[in-house]
Structures are given as C-alpha cells and as structure tokens.
Amino acid sequence: MSQLLENYFTLVKKILPEKSKVTSVGVDIGSDSCKLVVLAKGPDDYEIQQCAIEPVENSNTAATIKRLLDKSKIEVKSLNTAVFGKGTLIRYIDLPRMSLDELKKSFAFEADKYLPFPQDQIYTDCYILDPKGRDKKMSVLVAAAKKEVINERIQLLGQLGLQTNFISVNALAIANVFHAVGLGPEAAPNDPPEAKAAYALFDMGENVSNLIIFKENLPRFTRDIFIGGLELSKRISNCLGISMSEAKKLKSQPQTRKEEIGTACESVFNSLISEMRLSFDYFITEKNVLISRLYLTGGSSMFEGIVDIFAKGLDIPVEQWRPLKKMKFSSEISSEEVVRNESRLAVALGLSLY
C-alpha cells in the first residue's frame, strides 16, 4: 500500500521491456464476484491472455479466489489487487508547488488536515495531477485506506499462498485504464473541445458504485455512492415476490417482465440520479467545466435499459464503456465471451496494467 499511487500513471511505460513481453495478473475481489485478467504487455500493444469470473458463494471469498486461480493456465504466485468502499478515501486538494518527493515528505506530517482518519490508522499516498499548474499551485490526488482493510486483504491472499505486488483503490484502477492504455472517451462531433469538457464514468457495483469525473483523461473528482445492484435485486424480489437469485437473473434478462422490473427499480435509479446530479453540479461549479458524456461500467450496468434511464434522468449523452476495444486477445481464449463480460472487468483490467 505504500506504493498506492507511486508512479501511478507512468509505471506501465517504465516497466515495459523493449523486445519482450511481461505478464501481469490483476484480481478484482468484489462482494458479488471475483474477476481475473492476465495481461501480456509489450512495447506497443497489450494482449489479454486469460480472463475469468467466479461468483462469491456463501460469502466465502477465499474459496472463490481459489476457484478463479484454478482456472488459470499459468501458475499465479503474485498479483495486483484493490480495495474499495468504507475505509478507503480519495481526495483532490490544491497545494503550493513542490516536487513529488517533497510532497510525500510534507504530506506525512499534514495528512490530518485533509483526511478524517487518524494518521496512525491509515496508509496514504499522493500524486501530482498537474505538474505544470498555474499560480505556483498544483492539484494533488490523495488516496488513503485504513490499515485494517489493507492488512485483511494481504492476510486473505497470504492464506492462499499468494504475494501481493500492489494494492490500489478500485476507482484508481479504472482510471488507470483510461490513462495508461489510451482508452479514454473519444469526443463526439458535438462535444465541446477537450480543454472545455469533462467526461464521467460510473462503475456500478453490487454494494458500492464509483463515480469518477475525468478531464483530459485524468481523474479530477471521485465519489463512492453506496447504492448498487444489490438494491435493484432487493426491489425486484420484493415487488415481484420472487427469490433474490431469480431477481438477479431478471436484472439483465427481464424477458417479458421488463415493464414490471423497470417500475420496481424506479426508486433506486431516482436515488442514483439524484446523487449523481449533486456531484455533477458541484464539479461544474467548482471547475467551470461541462460534463459532456457519461460512460457506464460494472456488473450492475448490464441492467437492460440502463443507458436510456440515465440519459433521460441526467440529460446528457450516455453509453456503455468499452474498455477492451483496443486490446488484443490470445488465440487460447474466446474474445466473444470476454467482450460480453467487459463491463465486469474494468477493475481487474486496470490492475493488470500496473
């Protein structure tokens, strides 16, 4: 965790060899499922060599990870992973201009000014977003996670005989895809010029959803919203009188019950849209930059009709994010199956890029 953001946006390029490929493993440990991406990184391209998703059964995360790794065709001894939700925090602050080394040294003594956690209970790291900022000021991204959250993750993987190379935060792993691989959104003809526009990405998880706003493909705002797919499943289950397992299936495959499901989930989406509008309004007022487009990812973004729901509620163009569009695929995997699940793979992909 001490390297949570160290070389955050440059690490990928720095470790790329000139003539050979390096394989990296990213594992996204979620509350509903665990995802694995094995990526081979070369001088000019990225190839997905393996990909797997396993549901978490009976809250047994360790067993899920073991099943996930058993499916891998390579022996995994070390990996990159991430944490999310309560006990983690991302902040954006303005500070006097200084070098990154000076920033890290000084922030170690001033973290209490900016973070709600006692300093002796957290790991922190920071990154300078605008090294060429104006007025002798710079914008700094600060990430923090409670030590107990990180230690639990390390202990979990250690029990499986795994070494942790790098622990990030889910939202930063996703941002890594935007920046490091050049998969940021391509402006549509009617979008404002890049310097005058921002793009939002909403990663809708099972329990926690992440809203990230990018400007020039760098994150400038991040927020956890504690509403996700679980709330949708509960509403469907209660309103339709069916089991939670049936409700989860109907979320993405409503078949003839689309109208019923839409009505059941309306209050959940209204709450999400209200929270997102508050964040958009704050960002636009603070940064004086328009948000031109919203991209959706995460397993719960596979809800049928979700694009139209958010487009109508937020009054901006909305589309599903396609983070794999510039990736190559190993001949040993089904690219069709991977692409079909790409909404669920963004975090694992970002982790495999480190």
Side-chain angles (χ1 to χ4, degrees), residues 43 50 57 128 167 199 261 304 316 320 324:
Q50 294 181 50
E57 298 176 352
I128 300 172
I167 298 180
Y199 298 91
I261 292 169
E304 186 170 322
I316 60 173
Q320 289 282 353
L324 302 180

Side-chain angles (χ1 to χ4, degrees), residues 12 57 81 102 112 119 125 136 151 172 175 188 192 204 221 262 267 304 310 334:
V12 171
E57 298 176 352
T81 190
E102 291 172 327
D112 290 340
Q119 193 168 342
D125 211 337
K136 297 183 179 181
N151 294 340
L172 299 184
M204 193 171 176
F221 176 93
S267 62
E304 186 170 322
F310 280 119
S334 168

Side-chain angles (χ1 to χ4, degrees), residues 16 21-24 38-42 45-49 352:
L16 288 178
K21 288 192 174 184
V22 171
T23 299
S24 180
V38 179
L39 193 74
K41 298 174 285 190
D45 63 6
Y46 301 86
E47 180 183 272
I48 294 180
Q49 295 190 327
S352 70

Side-chain angles (χ1 to χ4, degrees), residues 111-137:
D112 290 340
K113 295 181 181 178
Y114 306 103
L115 303 173
F117 307 136
Q119 193 168 342
D120 62 349
Q121 296 180 15
I122 59 173
Y123 294 108
T124 63
D125 211 337
C126 42
Y127 182 83
I128 300 172
L129 289 170
D130 56 348
K132 298 181 180 179
R134 301 175 181 177
D135 302 325
K136 297 183 179 181
K137 291 282 188 179

